[in-house]
Amino acid sequence: MKASIIGAGTVGKSIAEGIKNDFEVSLSSGSFEKLEKWNNGRFKIFDNNVDNAKYGDVILLTIKPGISDSVMEEIKDAAKGKLVISFMAGVTLNHIQEKLKNSMVARGMPSIPMLVQKSVTAYSYRELDKEHINVLIKVLKGFGSAIAIDEAYMDAVTGLSGSGPAYVAVMADSMINAGILAGIPKQQARELVIDTFINTMALMKEKGLSASALRDEVMTPGGTTVAGLYEMEKANTRIGIMNAVLGSYRRSQELSRNSKN
């Protein structure tokens, strides 16, 4: 099966690398020269979006929301009867369907670990048959895991898992710096923090533990962990993290409203 990726930025390139073993991948972008240099003969590339859209059995839109209307107008005839999967933040299924009236549409919100095929991608769709749902999931699982969600929650997903890696990175950076301040060499501090994050999440997932249950397993009365948690509570760390997620959520809502106007 052929997959045409329109937009060859970070998302488009990561998807291409992730699905290349299951699909014949083609790409197009705003700068054919840059695309050609990056591609180096690995994938089929086009110097225009229309020919790329005609080539694929499924079309993946990885363009910026600001140019979405013009690109969808450009490819609407070539996309007729095909599955179109959008990875554009804030652009609703309703809006995509209005622009691509004769296409089947779906929407995904990936996360930056897709660079190493470790994204968690929430997805929604409208009236797809089983065959096209299977194609959708196959695409998404090419670069990580996939979770079906009602589109009503997609803006919240953007704030939670879409922007989430940035918040995790800030927490990791803070912990690394604290380790260095406590005298641990930088490289060792980095490795300790990275593996702490990875292994803690693995424990939660594999054992089905809630976050609070895991915390309680580590915390002992009068111990070092509870002393550290007390400092986090004094600094309102929880509220800061929650506000970060909600701030991203509200911004995604604004983008969604703008896409309807």
Side-chain angles (χ1 to χ4, degrees):
M1 179 171 276
K2 299 172 183 175
S4 296
I5 300 173
I6 297 179
T10 299
V11 174
K13 290 173 182 175
S14 298
I15 292 174
E17 295 289 356
I19 67 173
K20 64 186 179 184
N21 293 329
D22 296 313
F23 294 86
E24 293 180 42
V25 178
S26 65
L27 300 100
S28 58
S29 74
S31 174
F32 183 74
E33 193 174 302
K34 287 183 180 178
L35 177 59
E36 195 172 32
K37 185 176 181 181
W38 167 82
N39 184 52
N40 196 26
R42 290 178 299 159
F43 302 107
K44 188 174 184 65
I45 57 175
F46 291 92
D47 62 4
N48 68 87
N49 294 328
V50 175
D51 285 344
N52 190 19
K54 287 179 180 177
Y55 177 79
D57 302 303
V58 56
I59 299 169
L60 282 54
L61 296 178
T62 62
I63 52 179
K64 295 185 183 300
I67 63 169
S68 61
D69 282 2
S70 60
V71 171
M72 287 191 287
E73 177 66 26
E74 184 184 9
I75 68 166
K76 65 181 181 182
D77 292 332
K80 185 176 180 180
K82 297 181 180 181
L83 172 61
V84 177
I85 307 172
S86 166
F87 296 91
M88 302 180 291
V91 183
T92 64
L93 287 172
N94 272 344
H95 188 75
I96 299 166
Q97 194 74 80
E98 285 174 8
K99 296 296 179 181
L100 301 174
K101 297 187 190 309
N102 298 308
S103 300
M104 294 158 286
V105 301
R107 181 181 173 193
M109 173 50 61
S111 57
I112 196 65
M114 69 188 307
L115 289 169
V116 289
Q117 285 76 59
K118 295 290 185 181
S119 172
V120 54
T121 303
Y123 67 92
S124 303
Y125 57 84
R126 292 280 176 81
E127 299 177 359
L128 298 185
D129 59 27
K130 187 175 180 180
E131 179 184 351
H132 288 100
I133 292 171
N134 289 339
V135 172
L136 168 63
I137 293 171
K138 189 174 184 179
V139 168
L140 300 181
K141 288 192 172 181
F143 51 92
S145 60
I147 298 175
I149 195 164
D150 190 302
E151 194 193 13
Y153 305 121
M154 196 62 83
D155 290 323
V157 168
T158 301
L160 189 62
S161 60
S163 299
Y167 314 142
V168 173
V170 169
M171 287 187 280
D173 189 48
S174 299
M175 290 174 66
I176 291 167
N177 288 337
I180 295 169
L181 187 61
I184 301 172
K186 183 176 181 179
Q187 185 57 38
Q188 283 92 330
R190 182 178 183 275
E191 290 178 16
L192 285 165
V193 170
I194 289 173
D195 283 350
T196 295
F197 272 81
I198 292 172
N199 297 339
T200 301
M201 294 303 100
L203 175 60
M204 281 184 65
K205 188 168 186 175
E206 290 175 22
K207 295 294 186 181
L209 293 173
S210 67
S212 58
L214 191 150
R215 177 205 62 203
D216 290 346
E217 284 290 324
V218 183
M219 185 172 60
T220 55
T224 58
T225 303
V226 73
L229 289 170
Y230 176 69
E231 295 298 329
M232 292 182 75
E233 295 294 352
K234 282 200 298 184
N236 279 328
T237 303
R238 282 176 195 265
I239 300 300
I241 294 169
M242 290 170 69
N243 282 339
V245 173
L246 293 174
S248 177
Y249 163 53
R250 288 189 288 268
R251 177 55 182 154
S252 184
Q253 285 182 310
E254 289 175 8
L255 292 173
S256 295
R257 285 193 293 270
N258 290 339
S259 81
K260 298 173 186 176
N261 297 329

